[in-house]
C-alpha cells in the first residue's frame, strides 16, 4: 500500500457519523437489532439454565436413566428422579457429560492444539512466501487456498474417506479435515499483517547489517507477526473445536470429537444432559470468540464452515 | 400397577444375584464369574480397555445400562454408537479390515445378511447350546441375545392435546384424525422398523409371500406420518413430539416406568411380530479376546438379567428373575397376537419390501 | 536483493503446495474419478453380477452417477431445495442485518462493543448445536410456543423447527454475524461525501438511495451473498437434526454413505456439490470485485 504498486485499494474515507436527526430508518434498525439480540441470547440462556435444572421440562424426565446412569449408592439399573435427591439445581448432568463424553473433549482439544501448531508453521512460512515473492502460478495458488472457505465439509469428508481410508481408525484423518478449514484463516491473518506495513524494508536493512536468515526470522519476522499469530491461533482453535460437517463422517466410536458427541446427546439424552453438553462447548468457545473480537480480529466475518 | 413399585425397590445386583442362585443349580452350563474376571483381566492387558460395538444405542434395549454395568464391574468401556442395523452392515462392508468395530449388534434379519456377506467370523459363545435353534446361525456367525415385540408406543399427552383416542389396531392409525402424529424409523436403515413394516403387512392382511397389502397400507399411513427418523425417536416420543411411534415394546415400557413419561404401549389387535436381536463377532476385530469374552458375558445371567429388568425378553429366559417373570407375564402373556414367523421367512421378503417402500413411499 | 531469489519462493511455498495437493486437490480428483464407477444400484439394474464378485474395469466407467444427480427426481429435488433455500436465506439475512450493520457504523451508543460481540455468538456454533437451539426455541414444546401459549393462549411456532421454514430460520440465525459484520465493514468504507454531495445538489432521499447508496452497497451485498450462500449450501448439521421428511443435498450424500453402499454415488454427489458451491462463490466474488472496480472506484 505504501509502495504505490498498481492495484492497491484507495485510502478508505473515515465514515462520518450521521448528523441527521433520529429517523424512521434508525428506529427500524434499532428495533431489528433488539430482536436480533433477543434471538441470539435467549437460546443460549435457556441452554445454560437447562444444564443445571432438575425440573422435568421440555417433556423429558429429568432422570439420567436415558443412558443407564447409576447413582453412587447402588448398582440399580436406573437412577431415581434427581429432583428428589438434590433440590432445584444440580451438577449431575455435567458429571454425567464428563464421565461419558470426557474423552471427546480431550480429543477435540488435541485436534485444536495440533491444528494450531501445524497452521502456525505452514501459515508463517507460506504467508511470508506469498507476500514477499511473485512467482508464476501465484494467483492460482491463492485461489486454491481460498477454496476451503466455501467448500462443503461433507464433500471433503467423502473425498478423504475415499483416499485415506487406510488410516480411517486414526485421529489424523480428522486432523486433515480440520487443517484444511483452519489453514486459510491463519494464512489470512499472517498475510494481512505482512502486507500492511513496511516489513520487508526492515528485513532488508537487517540483512544489509549482516543478519542471517535465522536471525531475521527470530528478531524481525516473528515478533512482528505475534499479534497475527495470536489472533490466527484463536481463530483456528474456535474453528477446529466447532468443526462438525467434515468431522462427523470421519469420526469413529473411538475417535469422537466434541461436536459429534453432541449429536449423540441430542438424539439419546434428555434435554438437561444435552444442554449440559452444549453448555460445556459454549463455555469454552464463546470466551475465545469474545477475545478475538476484542483483539480486533477483522477476519471473523469469514469463518465459513461451521454450519 | 404394583409391578412398578416392586421393581423400583430392587437393585440390579439383587435381581442378578437371585437369578444366579436360581440358575446355578439347574443348568448344565454355569456362569463362573471369577473365571470370567480372569479372562477379562488377561484380555485387558494385551488389548486395552476399550471395546467397540457397532450399534450400541444407550436407549435401545438399555445398552446404556448394560455397558455401564460392564464398565463398572470389569473396567472395559464400550462406547455408545448410534448406527442402526443397516448402517452397521454398510459400515462393515465398506470399511472391511480398516474397521474399528469388534462386535456388531443388529436386528436378526440384518445379522443373517451380515453373516452371509462375510463380515463376521464364526464364534459360538459359552451357553450356545441353550439358545433356541431358530435364533442362531448353525455355523456360529450370529446369535440372538434378546427380543422385543412390535407395538405402538403412544404418548397419551400428545394424543390428548390432539383430541384423539388411543388407537388399538393397525387400521385405527390410518384414520385421518391421527395426521402428523405417527412416526416410524426409516426401514431401509433401522432393523426394528423393518420388523414394524413387516408386522404392518401382516396386520393389513398380507403374508410372508405378499407384501402388496403392506405397501398399500403404508402409503395410506404415510399421510399421517410426521417423519421417518434416521436416528432414534426415543426422546421425541417421550417429549411428545411424536404421538405414536411404531417400535419395539421394550423402549415404551422403559419410557413409561423409568422415565415416567405419559406413555402407553399398545399391541395392535390384528397381530404383530417379535423382534429378535442378534450379535456377531466382526471378522476383522482388533480385540478378539475381549470381544469373545464380551459376547460370552452377554449370554451370562448378569447381562440377560439386566435385559429382563429393562423390559426386553432375554433369549435365555431361565435367567429371568422370578420378579421379572412376574412382570413380563401380563405383557408377554397376552402376546398370542405375535404371529410366528421364522427369520428366514421374513428375510426372504424383506429385501424387496424395503426397496418397494423406498421407491414408493420415501422417494415421492 | 537477496541471493538465491529463484529458489527462495519455492522453499516457502512448497509446504503449502504439498499440503493442499495432498489434503484437498488429490482426494477431490480421486473422488471425481471414483464417481465414474457404477454404483451397486446401477449394476443391479443393468443385470450384471454382484460387485463383490467382479472387479470393475475401465470399460465400466460411466457418467451415470453424475447424470443421475440431475435427472433422477429424488436427487434433483434435494439439490434444488438446497439451492433455493440457500438463496432465500442469503437474501433474508442481508435484509435483516443491514439495519444493525448500518447502526454499528453510523451511530454511537453505549454498549456498542458488547452489541457487536453478542451478534458474533452464533458463529461459534456448529450446525447441530444450532439445530438443538432451534428445537429448544421452536420445537414442538419449544420456548416460544410455550411462552406465547402462556401469554396469549395460542402456541405460536409449534413444531416450526421441523419444517422448511424452521430450517430457514435456523440458517438465518446462523448467518446473522456473518451478514452483519460483512455489511458493516463494507458500509464503513463508504465515501459519505458522495452522499452529501448528491444531496447538496438537490437529490431526494430516494434518489440518493438509488443512485448513490445502492451502487455503493452492491459489491458488499454480493460478497456477503457469496459467503452466506456457500455456507448454507454446505450446511449439514442443522438439517441432520431437524429435517425428517424432506432432504437437502448434503443430507442425501450422508444417507448414501450411511445407509447404502453407494459410495460412488456419494462421491459423485460430493463432487457436484463442491463444484457448484465453490463455483457460485467464486463467480459472485469476482462479480463483486469487478463491480467495485468499475462502478464504485470510479465514483
Amino acid at each position: 500500500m505504501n509502495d504505490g504498486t498498481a492495484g492497491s485499494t484507495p485510502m478508505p474515507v473515515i465514515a462520518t457519523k450521521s448528523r441527521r436527526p433520529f429517523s424512521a430508518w434508525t428506529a427500524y434498525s434499532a428495533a431489528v437489532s433488539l430482536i436480533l439480540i433477543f434471538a441470539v441470547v435467549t437460546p443460549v440462556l435457556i441452554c445454560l439454565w437447562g444444564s443445571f435444572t432438575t425440573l422435568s421440562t421440555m417433556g423429558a424426565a429429568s432422570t439420567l436413566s436415558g443412558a443407564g446412569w447409576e447413582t453412587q449408592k447402588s448398582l440399580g439399573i436406573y437412577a431415581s428422579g434427581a429432583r428428589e435427591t438434590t433440590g432445584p439445581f444440580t451438577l449431575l448432568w455435567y458429571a454425567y457429560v464428563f464421565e461419558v463424553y470426557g474423552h471427546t473433549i480431550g480429543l477435540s482439544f488435541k485436534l485444536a492444539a495440533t491444528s494450531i501448531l501445524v497452521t502456525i508453521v505452514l501459515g508463517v512460512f507460506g504467508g511470508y512466501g506469498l507476500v514477499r515473492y511473485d512467482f508464476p502460478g501465484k494467483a492460482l495458488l491463492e485461489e486454491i487456498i481460498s477454496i476451503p472457505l466455501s467448500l462443503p465439509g461433507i464433500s471433503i469428508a467423502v473425498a478423504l474417506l475415499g483416499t485415506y481410508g487406510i488410516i480411517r481408525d486414526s485421529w489424523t484423518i480428522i486432523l486433515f479435515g480440520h487443517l484444511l478449514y483452519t489453514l486459510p484463516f491463519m494464512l489470512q491473518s499472517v498475510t494481512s499483517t505482512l502486507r500492511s506495513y513496511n516489513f520487508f524494508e526492515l528485513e532488508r536493512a537487517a540483512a544489509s547489517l549482516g543478519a542471517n536468515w535465522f536471525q531475521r526470522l527470530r528478531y524481525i519476522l516473528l515478533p512482528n507477526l505475534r499479534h497475527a499469530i495470536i489472533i490466527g491461533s484463536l481463530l483456528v482453535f474456535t474453528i477446529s473445536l466447532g468443526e462438525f460437517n467434515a468431522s462427523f463422517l470421519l469420526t469413529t466410536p473411538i475417535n469422537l470429537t466434541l461436536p459429534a458427541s453432541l449429536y449423540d446427546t441430542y438424539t439419546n439424552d434428555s434435554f438437561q444432559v444435552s444442554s449440559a453438553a452444549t453448555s460445556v462447548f459454549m463455555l469454552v468457545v464463546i470466551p475465545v470468540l469474545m477475545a478475538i473480537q476484542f483483539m480486533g480480529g477483522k477476519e471473523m466475518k469469514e469463518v465459513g464452515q461451521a454450519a | 400397577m404394583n409391578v412398578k413399585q416392586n421393581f423400583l425397590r430392587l437393585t440390579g445386583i439383587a435381581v442378578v444375584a437371585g437369578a444366579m442362585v436360581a440358575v446355578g443349580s439347574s443348568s448344565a452350563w454355569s456362569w463362573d464369574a471369577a473365571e470370567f474376571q480372569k479372562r477379562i483381566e488377561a484380555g485387558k492387558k494385551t488389548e486395552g480397555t476399550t471395546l467397540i460395538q457397532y450399534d450400541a444405542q444407550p436407549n435401545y434395549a438399555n445398552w446404556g445400562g448394560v455397558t455401564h454395568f460392564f464398565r463398572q464391574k470389569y473396567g472395559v468401556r464400550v462406547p455408545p454408537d448410534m448406527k442402526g442395523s443397516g448402517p452397521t452392515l454398510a459400515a462393515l462392508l465398506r470399511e472391511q479390515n480398516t474397521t474399528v468395530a469388534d462386535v456388531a449388534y443388529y436386528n436378526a434379519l440384518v445379522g443373517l445378511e451380515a453373516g452371509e456377506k462375510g463380515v463376521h467370523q464364526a464364534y459360538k459363545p459359552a451357553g450356545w447350546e441353550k439358545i433356541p435353534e431358530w435364533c442362531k446361525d448353525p455355523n456360529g456367525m450370529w446369535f440372538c441375545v434378546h427380543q422385543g415385540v412390535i407395538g405402538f408406543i403412544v404418548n397419551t399427552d400428545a394424543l390428548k392435546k390432539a383430541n384423539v383416542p388411543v388407537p388399538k389396531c393397525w387400521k385405527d392409525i390410518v384414520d385421518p384424525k391421527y395426521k402428523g402424529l405417527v412416526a416410524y424409523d426409516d426401514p431401509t436403515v433401522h432393523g426394528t422398523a423393518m420388523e414394524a413394516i413387516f408386522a404392518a403387512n401382516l396386520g393389513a392382511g398380507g403374508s410372508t409371500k405378499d407384501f402388496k397389502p403392506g405397501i398399500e397400507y403404508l402409503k395410506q399411513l404415510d399421510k399421517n406420518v410426521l417423519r421417518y427418523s434416521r436416528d432414534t425417536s426415543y426422546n421425541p416420543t417421550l417429549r411428545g413430539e411424536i404421538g405414536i411411534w411404531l417400535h419395539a415394546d421394550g423402549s415404551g415400557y422403559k419410557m413409561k416406568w423409568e422415565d415416567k413419561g405419559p406413555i402407553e404401549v399398545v399391541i395392535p389387535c390384528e397381530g404383530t411380530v417379535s423382534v429378535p436381536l442378534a450379535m456377531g463377532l466382526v471378522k476383522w476385530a482388533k480385540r478378539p479376546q475381549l470381544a469373545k469374552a464380551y459376547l460370552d458375558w452377554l449370554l451370562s445371567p448378569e447381562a440377560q438379567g439386566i435385559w429382563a429388568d429393562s423390559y426386553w425378553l432375554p433369549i435365555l429366559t431361565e435367567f429371568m428373575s422370578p420378579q421379572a417373570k412376574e412382570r413380563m407375564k401380563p405383557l408377554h402373556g397376552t402376546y398370542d397376537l405375535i404371529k410366528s414367523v421364522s427369520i428366514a421367512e421374513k428375510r426372504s421378503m424383506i429385501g424387496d419390501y424395503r426397496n418397494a417402500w423406498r421407491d414408493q413411499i420415501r422417494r415421492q | 536483493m537477496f541471493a538465491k531469489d529463484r529458489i527462495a519462493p519455492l522453499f516457502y511455498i512448497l509446504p503449502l503446495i504439498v499440503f493442499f495437493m495432498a489434503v484437498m486437490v488429490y482426494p477431490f480428483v480421486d473422488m471425481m474419478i471414483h464417481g465414474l464407477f457404477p454404483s451397486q444400484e446401477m449394476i443391479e439394474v443393468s443385470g450384471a453380477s454382484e460387485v463383490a464378485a467382479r472387479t470393475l474395469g475401465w470399460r465400466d466407467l460411466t457418467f451415470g452417477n453424475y447424470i443421475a444427480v440431475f435427472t433422477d427426481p429424488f436427487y434433483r429435488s434435494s439439490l434444488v431445495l438446497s439451492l433455493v433455500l440457500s438463496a432465500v436465506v442469503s437474501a433474508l439475512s442481508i435484509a435483516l442485518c443491514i439495519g444493525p450493520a448500518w447502526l454499528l457504523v453510523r451511530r454511537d451508543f453505549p454498549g456498542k462493543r458488547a452489541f457487536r460481540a453478542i451478534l458474533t455468538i452464533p458463529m461459534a456454533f456448529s450446525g447441530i448445536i444450532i439445530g438443538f437451539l432451534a428445537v429448544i426455541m421452536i420445537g414442538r414444546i419449544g420456548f416460544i410456543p410455550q411462552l406465547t401459549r402462556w401469554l396469549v393462549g395460542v402456541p405460536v411456532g409449534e413444531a416450526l423447527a421441523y419444517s422448511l421454514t424452521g430450517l430457514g430460520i435456523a440458517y438465518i440465525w446462523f448467518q446473522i454475524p456473518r451478514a452483519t459484520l460483512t455489511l458493516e465493514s463494507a458500509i464503513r468504507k463508504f465515501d459519505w461525501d458522495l452522499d452529501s454531495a448528491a444531496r447538496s445538489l438537490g437529490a431526494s432521499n430516494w434518489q440518493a438511495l438509488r443512485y448513490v447508496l445502492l451502487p455503493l452497497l452492491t459489491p458488499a451485498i454480493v460478497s456477503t451473498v457469496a459467503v452466506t450462500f456457500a455456507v448454507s449450501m454446505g450446511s449439514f448439521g442443522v438439517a441432520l437434526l431437524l429435517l425428517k421428511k424432506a432432504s437437502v443435498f448434503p443430507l442425501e450424500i450422508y444417507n448414501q454413505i450411511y445407509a447404502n453402499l453407494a459410495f460412488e454415488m456419494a462421491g459423485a454427489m460430493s463432487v457436484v456439490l463442491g463444484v457448484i458451491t465453490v463455483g457460485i462463490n467464486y463467480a459472485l466474488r469476482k462479480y463483486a470485485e469487478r463491480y467495485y472496480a468499475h462502478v464504485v472506484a470510479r465514483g
Side-chain angles (χ1 to χ4, degrees):
Chain A
M1 293 190 71
N2 299 356
D3 49 4
T5 52
S8 59
T9 53
M11 295 293 282
V13 173
I14 299 181
T16 52
K17 301 291 180 229
S18 170
R19 279 182 276 272
R20 285 202 289 277
F22 196 78
S23 63
W25 171 253
T26 313
Y28 163 77
S29 299
V32 170
S33 303
L34 282 175
I35 295 178
L36 286 187
I37 295 278
F38 170 78
V40 169
V41 169
T42 316
V44 174
L45 289 180
I46 295 180
C47 193
L48 283 173
W49 167 75
S51 68
F52 290 109
T53 186
T54 59
L55 283 180
S56 204
T57 183
M58 308 298 284
S62 62
T63 62
L64 273 171
S65 57
W69 176 266
E70 276 96 296
T71 62
Q72 282 80 8
K73 294 202 191 66
S74 70
L75 269 181
I77 300 166
Y78 303 111
S80 55
R83 195 174 188 185
E84 295 151 28
T85 52
T86 50
F89 291 108
T90 176
L91 286 177
L92 259 183
W93 318 128
Y94 282 102
Y96 172 76
V97 166
F98 279 108
E99 145 137 6
V100 178
Y101 300 109
H103 62 287
T104 71
I105 302 177
L107 180 68
S108 280
F109 270 87
K110 183 164 83 169
L111 283 168
T114 315
S115 299
I116 289 179
L117 288 174
V118 175
T119 52
I120 287 181
V121 172
L122 282 178
V124 167
F125 284 105
Y128 179 81
L130 279 174
V131 178
R132 172 83 174 71
Y133 299 104
D134 265 323
F135 48 88
K138 177 172 169 175
L140 177 65
L141 183 62
E142 283 176 335
E143 278 304 328
I144 290 184
I145 288 176
S146 67
I147 285 181
L149 296 176
S150 55
L151 186 63
I154 193 163
S155 294
I156 205 63
V158 176
L160 286 175
L161 276 179
T163 311
Y164 296 110
I166 310 177
I167 55 165
R168 190 160 183 348
D169 49 350
S170 156
W171 63 282
T172 50
I173 198 173
I174 313 179
L175 181 69
F176 284 170
H178 283 215
L179 286 176
L180 189 64
Y181 287 114
T182 53
L183 184 57
F185 289 96
M186 181 62 87
L187 272 172
Q188 262 181 13
S189 194
V190 167
T191 54
S192 72
T193 301
L194 284 178
R195 284 200 174 104
S196 67
Y197 69 105
N198 244 338
F199 167 73
F200 295 114
E201 294 201 350
L202 268 180
E203 211 190 353
R204 205 177 313 168
S208 70
L209 289 172
N212 64 28
W213 178 83
F214 189 70
Q215 283 169 323
R216 291 201 306 274
L217 173 74
R218 188 162 161 225
Y219 294 113
I220 299 184
L221 185 63
L222 288 182
N224 283 302
L225 281 179
R226 200 189 54 188
H227 186 249
I229 291 181
I230 292 181
I231 294 223
S233 303
L234 292 178
L235 271 173
V236 167
F237 181 80
T238 312
I239 296 171
S240 173
L241 216 64
E243 216 293 316
F244 177 77
N245 289 352
S247 310
F248 189 63
L249 272 173
L250 299 171
T251 53
T252 64
I254 281 191
N255 296 315
L256 205 58
T257 62
L258 182 58
S261 73
L262 287 177
Y263 174 70
D264 282 4
T265 62
Y266 297 153
T267 52
N268 259 284
D269 294 320
S270 63
F271 164 70
Q272 287 79 357
V273 169
S274 305
S275 301
T278 312
S279 300
V280 168
F281 178 82
M282 287 199 292
L283 291 171
V284 171
V285 170
I286 291 187
V288 177
L289 207 69
M290 296 296 127
I292 300 177
Q293 267 298 299
F294 283 101
M295 290 176 75
K298 287 181 280 292
E299 303 78 8
M300 271 312 294
K301 63 180 181 290
E302 293 212 38
V303 175
Q305 270 310 316
Chain B
M1 213 175 162
N2 280 336
V3 170
K4 173 173 81 172
Q5 288 163 336
N6 279 341
F7 168 75
L8 287 174
R9 302 238 184 295
L10 294 169
T11 64
I13 285 189
V15 169
V16 167
M20 282 170 71
V21 167
V23 158
S25 48
S26 58
S27 61
W29 165 68
S30 54
W31 169 253
D32 188 340
E35 171 76 39
F36 185 75
Q37 186 92 28
K38 275 197 237 127
R39 260 179 86 187
I40 290 281
E41 292 307 317
K44 271 158 73 175
K45 276 205 200 71
T46 48
E47 295 175 346
T49 56
T50 307
L51 188 71
I52 302 295
Q53 172 180 325
Y54 272 3
D55 195 352
Q57 300 177 31
N59 265 334
Y60 192 89
N62 195 21
W63 276 108
V66 170
T67 53
H68 189 98
F69 184 95
F70 195 64
R71 184 184 189 178
Q72 298 287 77
K73 186 144 188 223
Y74 300 108
V76 175
R77 182 172 69 96
V78 181
D81 181 65
M82 300 308 148
K83 294 197 240 306
S85 305
T88 300
L89 179 57
L92 289 174
L93 282 167
R94 188 178 65 241
E95 294 166 4
Q96 302 269 311
N97 58 351
T98 65
T99 187
V100 299
D102 300 301
V103 297
Y105 170 76
Y106 339 67
N107 185 285
L109 292 175
V110 184
L112 179 62
E113 200 181 338
E116 286 173 0
K117 292 221 163 104
V119 295
H120 288 175
Q121 50 176 299
Y123 178 65
K124 296 189 179 170
W128 174 263
E129 313 75 37
K130 303 206 291 189
I131 303 176
E133 286 306 315
W134 64 275
C135 218
K136 63 187 178 193
D137 175 71
N139 299 320
M141 285 297 176
W142 55 271
F143 57 94
C144 293
V145 286
H146 52 247
Q147 42 178 332
V149 167
I150 292 291
F152 303 160
I153 302 183
V154 174
N155 186 308
T156 49
D157 272 0
L159 260 55
K160 230 183 275 164
K161 271 204 205 103
N163 247 321
V164 290
V166 174
K168 294 271 179 293
C169 306
W170 288 107
K171 62 175 180 288
D172 288 341
I173 55 175
V174 283
D175 189 307
K177 66 177 181 250
Y178 290 104
K179 188 170 166 64
L181 288 171
V182 181
Y184 55 97
D185 301 337
D186 188 329
T188 61
V189 166
H190 289 284
T192 314
M194 288 182 213
E195 302 277 8
I197 64 172
F198 190 89
N201 179 42
L202 292 184
S207 71
T208 55
K209 307 257 180 310
D210 176 26
F211 57 80
K212 260 226 272 341
I215 288 288
E216 287 312 311
Y217 173 82
L218 290 173
K219 273 204 213 145
Q220 256 199 300
L221 185 62
D222 178 62
K223 302 192 191 74
N224 287 351
V225 170
L226 178 67
R227 58 197 192 214
Y228 303 112
S229 302
R230 213 173 303 104
D231 38 52
T232 176
S233 302
Y234 187 95
N235 267 348
T237 311
L238 187 58
R239 290 182 192 144
E241 289 165 21
I242 294 177
I244 303 169
W245 187 27
L246 310 179
H247 198 73
D249 61 338
S251 305
Y253 294 129
K254 177 161 178 281
M255 281 187 219
K256 179 172 172 168
W257 286 320
E258 300 315 313
D259 296 323
K260 322 256 199 336
I263 305 285
E264 282 301 324
V265 176
V266 174
I267 305 298
C269 64
E270 296 98 332
T272 182
V273 293
S274 71
V275 183
L277 293 142
M279 307 268 324
L281 177 61
V282 170
K283 185 167 168 191
W284 309 277
K286 297 204 171 62
R287 292 159 277 260
Q289 241 188 317
L290 276 181
K292 289 178 182 161
Y294 179 68
L295 287 176
D296 286 1
W297 180 75
L298 291 179
L299 289 177
S300 74
E302 288 177 342
Q304 297 280 308
I306 296 180
W307 274 317
D309 288 309
S310 313
Y311 315 105
W312 291 76
L313 198 61
I315 200 69
L316 302 181
T317 49
E318 65 204 70
F319 291 152
M320 289 174 78
S321 69
Q323 294 82 356
K325 281 211 179 100
E326 268 311 305
R327 187 177 56 251
M328 289 303 235
K329 221 196 308 189
L331 309 177
H332 282 132
T334 56
Y335 291 175
D336 345 284
L337 297 165
I338 304 178
K339 312 263 176 171
S340 136
V341 183
S342 75
I343 296 183
E345 280 181 289
K346 285 184 198 166
R347 171 89 200 292
S348 65
M349 183 183 100
I350 199 69
D352 296 325
Y353 191 7
R354 248 165 45 195
N355 289 341
W357 182 90
R358 184 193 62 203
D359 293 328
Q360 298 183 38
I361 296 179
R362 179 153 175 254
R363 276 188 174 214
Q364 25 81 329
Chain C
M1 286 287 252
F2 300 86
K4 297 179 278 193
D5 239 7
R6 297 269 171 82
I7 324 177
L10 207 60
F11 169 71
Y12 292 107
I13 300 297
L14 198 60
L16 265 189
I17 298 182
V18 167
F19 173 78
F20 278 99
M21 280 296 143
V23 177
M24 190 173 78
V25 178
Y26 174 69
F28 208 79
V29 171
D30 191 33
M31 183 169 69
M32 231 189 301
I33 296 180
H34 270 106
L36 292 173
F37 282 89
S39 61
Q40 178 77 1
E41 269 173 51
M42 286 170 61
I43 292 184
E44 277 172 359
V45 162
S46 70
S49 49
E50 287 272 342
V51 176
R54 171 171 153 225
T55 36
L56 297 169
W58 287 101
R59 266 171 291 132
D60 296 307
L61 288 185
T62 163
F63 280 100
N65 289 327
Y66 292 98
I67 296 177
V69 170
F70 294 104
T71 55
D72 187 330
F74 186 57
Y75 301 115
R76 188 176 57 204
S77 61
S78 69
L79 181 60
V80 166
L81 180 61
S82 278
L83 288 167
V84 170
L85 191 63
S86 305
V88 169
V89 164
S90 299
L92 287 180
S93 320
I94 292 180
L96 189 66
C97 293
I98 192 152
W102 186 87
L103 263 189
L104 278 173
V105 176
R106 300 275 283 158
R107 296 266 181 220
D108 268 330
F109 47 90
K112 185 166 161 181
R113 234 179 166 187
F115 173 63
R116 186 192 285 116
I118 290 180
L119 282 186
T120 59
I121 286 181
M123 205 136 54
F125 300 149
S126 45
I128 23 129
I129 300 184
I130 292 164
F132 176 62
L133 296 179
V135 169
I136 290 184
M137 294 295 279
I138 46 179
R140 181 154 260 189
I141 24 177
F143 178 70
I144 296 201
Q146 297 206 40
L147 185 70
T148 52
R149 171 183 284 141
W150 179 68
L151 286 177
V152 298
V154 173
V156 170
E158 194 170 27
L160 190 60
Y162 302 107
S163 67
L164 283 177
T165 316
L167 189 73
I169 293 179
Y171 278 27
I172 293 177
W173 192 87
F174 181 65
Q175 306 286 18
I176 289 177
R178 206 162 287 108
T180 313
L181 291 182
T182 313
L183 287 171
E184 181 203 346
S185 72
I187 296 178
R188 203 174 279 281
K189 292 201 185 83
F190 275 7
D191 186 353
W192 289 102
D193 290 344
L194 284 176
D195 182 55
S196 324
R199 283 175 205 284
S200 68
L201 290 173
S204 72
N205 266 347
W206 172 246
Q207 286 172 320
L209 182 71
R210 181 147 175 239
Y211 295 110
V212 180
L213 281 181
L214 236 41
L216 285 179
L217 213 42
T218 304
I221 291 183
V222 172
S223 40
T224 311
V225 170
V227 176
T228 55
F229 187 83
V231 172
S232 302
M233 280 296 284
S235 174
F236 165 65
V238 192
L240 183 66
L241 205 60
L242 294 183
L243 276 188
K244 299 301 183 181
K245 245 184 159 182
S247 194
V248 287
F249 204 63
L251 208 51
E252 265 319 303
I253 299 180
Y254 173 70
N255 280 335
Q256 290 298 317
I257 293 200
Y258 189 63
N260 307 354
L261 275 181
F263 209 72
E264 303 80 12
M265 188 65 199
M269 289 168 78
S270 301
V271 170
V272 171
L273 180 66
V275 167
I276 290 184
T277 309
V278 174
I280 293 185
N281 178 274
Y282 180 79
L284 286 174
R285 274 190 297 126
K286 285 296 166 219
Y287 176 75
E289 279 173 28
R290 281 198 329 195
Y291 192 98
Y292 184 82
H294 288 158
V295 175
V296 178
R298 295 222 191 109

